[in-house]
Amino acid sequence: LHVDLSEASVKRLFTNGRVSLDRLVALCDKLGVTLAELANDAAASAPRVRRLTEAQEAEVAADTKLLLVAACVLNHWSAADICRLYRIEPPECLRKLIQLDRLGLIELLPGERIRLNLARDFDWLPGGPIRRFFREHGEPDFLDAAFGDAGETHVFLHGMLSADARAAFLTQIQQLRQRFDASHEDSRAAPTRRSVGLLLAMREWEPPDFVALRRGESSRA
């Protein structure tokens, strides 16, 4: 199949943005790809956000409704879903989505469709405004439970580990996070989904009551 255009003409079409849908389909046929595959490749090659700046995170954390909308869209909610469940009217929700688009977290498409603009390893800043917000406002409520129902568990372990053992556990925790992210994506098509919290943490630590009994820094050995 030929498109009756020279290579220079094709380049001009894409440079000035005037290529028609029919012409684009013909070019895809010539290349042996579908239009959907071309769109997916273009989306995959677009720059993705790995981190927000401290100021950007502070902007989100300072506005509870903006943070709520951000959390919802990160879980693949539509604008209609958000307005249906929360006391946010469509015009206000649209303003929040535009703000998230400006911050680079999403791309707001026609019809209020939402495309996430995040790298696979996206994360909030360590010790940044978002993590501080959830540590102060979320973790106490999250941990204030018996963790005895089906599907719940709470395990706290304490031991003495070598540097190699700690490094190995950190690697396994990162792998578990990746599996959680993959399950999150796989669950998008499920008929029902439930909000789930998973807290993972590891650091050098000693109970404060033990610390109070220390004779000196040398006792830590």
Side-chain angles (χ1 to χ4, degrees):
L1 176 66
H2 296 283
V3 293
D4 298 325
L5 289 173
S6 66
E7 181 180 348
S9 297
V10 172
K11 290 180 178 179
R12 282 196 297 272
L13 279 174
F14 285 99
T15 300
N16 60 32
R18 295 179 180 177
V19 60
S20 67
L21 181 59
D22 290 340
R23 184 74 75 180
L24 185 58
V25 171
L27 288 169
C28 288
D29 289 341
K30 179 67 174 176
L31 294 172
V33 298
T34 67
L35 191 57
E37 289 171 335
L38 182 64
N40 288 336
D41 288 344
S45 63
R48 300 300 180 110
V49 174
R50 297 185 64 249
R51 296 285 189 278
L52 294 183
T53 66
E54 181 92 9
Q56 288 174 322
E57 282 201 7
E59 180 179 340
V60 177
D63 183 341
T64 302
K65 287 187 177 180
L66 180 62
L67 180 59
L68 169 63
V69 172
C72 288
V73 299
L74 291 178
N75 283 290
H76 306 290
W77 286 38
S78 67
D81 292 333
I82 298 170
C83 296
R84 183 165 53 249
L85 188 61
Y86 297 104
R87 292 194 301 273
I88 300 179
E89 298 305 316
E92 184 178 20
C93 185
L94 178 59
R95 289 195 295 271
K96 303 303 181 188
L97 291 174
I98 292 173
Q99 195 170 353
L100 294 177
D101 182 285
R102 178 176 56 78
L103 290 170
L105 283 174
I106 67 169
E107 182 181 353
L108 187 58
L109 304 173
E112 294 186 9
R113 292 179 295 116
I114 302 165
R115 176 187 295 157
L116 293 181
N117 190 38
L118 307 179
R120 293 185 64 85
D121 60 348
F122 171 82
D123 201 1
W124 303 114
L125 291 171
I130 299 295
R131 289 197 182 186
R132 288 199 301 269
F133 178 92
F134 282 106
R135 186 166 59 247
E136 296 169 5
H137 301 277
E139 283 187 20
D141 182 73
F142 177 79
L143 294 173
D144 187 21
F147 291 94
D149 294 339
E152 295 184 348
T153 184
H154 179 276
V155 178
F156 177 77
L157 304 175
H158 181 244
M160 306 291 286
L161 299 180
S162 68
D164 288 344
R166 287 176 59 185
F169 264 99
L170 287 173
T171 298
Q172 292 172 31
I173 288 174
Q174 181 61 30
Q175 292 170 346
L176 180 59
R177 173 177 179 169
Q178 293 170 352
R179 291 177 56 189
F180 187 91
D181 289 342
S183 296
H184 169 73
E185 290 296 325
D186 292 343
S187 298
R188 290 179 61 180
T192 58
R193 297 187 300 160
R194 296 289 184 269
S195 180
V196 175
L198 175 64
L199 176 65
L200 296 172
M202 186 171 77
R203 68 179 180 91
E204 186 172 338
W205 178 85
E206 186 178 0
D209 289 346
F210 293 5
V211 175
L213 296 174
R214 287 186 195 155
R215 290 184 180 275
E217 190 66 19
S218 61
S219 65
R220 295 187 63 186

